[in-house]
Amino acid sequence: MHEETVDYEFVEDSQAVIIGIPAYAADLSWQLKKWFDTDWNCSLAGKLGATFATQMPSVVNKAVRQCH
């Protein structure tokens, strides 16, 4: 996981939070899970939230081929 400094004051003041990640085997990375469990210092209560994930085309194509 590429680590960047989170501006927690900015997140607290925001009305919405959008988090994007690469997908790993239809799940998020262990590093991001750990970050949410141990380092996340913001409340998202009352905020509009969204997430998105990207998948490498070669991985998607391989999965589709395996389903046929």
Side-chain angles (χ1 to χ4, degrees):
M1 182 170 120
H2 179 71
E3 295 183 29
E4 294 184 21
T5 303
V6 175
D7 184 345
Y8 290 106
E9 185 177 339
F10 179 80
V11 174
E12 289 287 345
D13 292 341
S14 298
Q15 295 179 2
V17 176
I18 301 171
I19 298 172
I21 60 165
Y24 295 100
D27 205 354
L28 42 113
S29 69
W30 68 266
Q31 295 96 329
L32 188 59
K33 288 180 187 180
K34 180 178 182 264
W35 182 72
F36 274 119
D37 289 344
T38 61
D39 297 331
W40 183 253
N41 295 321
C42 293
S43 173
L44 299 178
K47 296 185 186 307
L48 178 63
T51 60
F52 66 91
T54 59
Q55 186 72 31
M56 296 297 293
S58 62
V59 174
V60 173
N61 292 338
K62 182 179 177 183
V64 169
R65 285 192 305 270
Q66 289 175 350
C67 290
H68 290 290

